[in-house]
């Protein structure tokens, strides 16, 4: 493990906010779920959490709530491509499931609740109530785009290798 690959592990302040949560079996279980085809849900959540934390820290906002809620924003245990809900789409339902799961792990502040519930803002109607609640949805999209880009790079590299082998 290098600092470049896992910078959050080397950030003592960040780890003081999320380290206890990271040690729980409930959060560790996120490592069992593929997320955006190339990542695990835990790694995705860590990337969202740490990036949102750094932004909140830079602007002097509530970095602790942003870090914790960013980590817990996708705390659900099903494959969203297969599981369907009568209550609505995955975009609407999973933030509420994540919030319910997060409440079982730790005390969740009003700010953290808003961040978790509203992290799909744009795909859902209710806008965030706090400035920190705007950070996580944008960072979530940014991280998802980075993950998708990595997947496309891998596919393109594989495609080029496969074409070379065919031509030979």
């Amino acid at each position: 493990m290098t600092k470049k690959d896992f910078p959050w592990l080397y950030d003592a302040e960040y780890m003081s906010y999320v380290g206890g949560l990271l040690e729980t079996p409930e959060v560790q279980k996120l490592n069992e779920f593929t997320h955006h085809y190339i990542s695990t849900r835990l790694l995705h959540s860590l990337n969202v959490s740490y990036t949102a934390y750094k932004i909140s820290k830079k602007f002097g906002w509530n970095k602790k709530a942003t870090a914790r809620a960013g980590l817990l924003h996708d705390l659900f245990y099903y494959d969203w491509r297969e599981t369907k809900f009568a209550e609505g789409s995955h975009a609407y339902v999973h933030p509420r499931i994540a919030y319910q799961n997060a409440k079982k792990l730790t005390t969740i502040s009003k700010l953290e609740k808003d961040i978790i519930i509203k992290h799909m803002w744009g795909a859902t109607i209710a806008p965030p109530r706090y400035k920190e609640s705007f950070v996580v949805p944008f960072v979530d999209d940014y991280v998802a785009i980075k993950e998708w880009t990595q997947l496309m790079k891998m596919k393109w590299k594989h495609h080029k290798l496969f074409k070379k082998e065919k031509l030979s």
Side-chain angles (χ1 to χ4, degrees):
M1 281 193 269
T2 67
K3 187 173 182 175
K4 183 180 176 238
D5 296 325
F6 304 101
W8 53 82
L9 288 175
Y10 302 89
D11 189 323
E13 181 182 43
Y14 173 76
M15 289 303 291
S16 74
Y17 299 146
V18 302
L21 293 170
L22 274 172
E23 292 174 1
T24 65
E26 293 85 352
V27 172
Q28 284 299 310
K29 187 173 180 169
L30 295 176
N31 219 18
E32 298 172 16
F33 296 90
T34 300
H35 204 65
H36 299 147
Y37 300 99
I38 196 165
S39 186
T40 67
R41 195 165 299 144
L42 178 57
L43 189 55
H44 167 81
S45 295
L46 277 162
N47 281 316
V48 170
S49 173
Y50 189 62
T51 304
Y53 154 81
K54 289 193 309 184
I55 291 168
S56 288
K57 183 176 180 174
K58 180 179 175 93
F59 287 108
W61 299 343
N62 191 327
K63 56 195 173 194
K64 180 179 181 180
T66 306
R68 287 169 41 90
L71 179 64
L72 301 171
H73 82 281
D74 278 340
L75 191 64
F76 63 93
Y77 309 107
Y78 61 86
D79 184 340
W80 63 270
R81 291 169 209 83
E82 296 175 6
T83 305
K84 304 300 175 206
F85 297 95
E87 299 88 7
S89 71
H90 168 72
Y92 174 79
V93 174
H94 90 270
R96 287 150 182 79
I97 293 171
Y99 169 65
Q100 292 302 320
N101 289 336
K103 278 193 334 184
K104 294 174 189 172
L105 286 180
T106 187
T107 302
I108 300 293
S109 70
K110 287 181 183 179
L111 172 55
E112 291 167 338
K113 176 183 178 181
D114 196 66
I115 293 169
I116 294 168
I117 296 281
K118 309 281 180 66
H119 86 267
M120 290 300 292
W121 175 68
T124 58
I125 297 172
R129 182 174 291 165
Y130 306 97
K131 57 190 172 283
E132 293 88 348
S133 302
F134 282 93
V135 176
V136 171
F138 289 112
V139 170
D140 192 21
D141 289 346
Y142 166 75
V143 170
I145 289 167
K146 274 180 64 174
E147 291 165 348
W148 180 83
T149 303
Q150 285 177 307
L151 176 64
M152 292 301 107
K153 284 179 183 177
M154 285 174 41
K155 282 186 171 190
W156 181 249
K157 184 178 179 180
H158 178 74
H159 172 74
K160 285 170 50 176
L161 288 172
F162 182 74
K163 265 188 144 176
K164 281 182 183 177
E165 286 178 12
K166 242 183 164 182
L167 292 174
S168 298

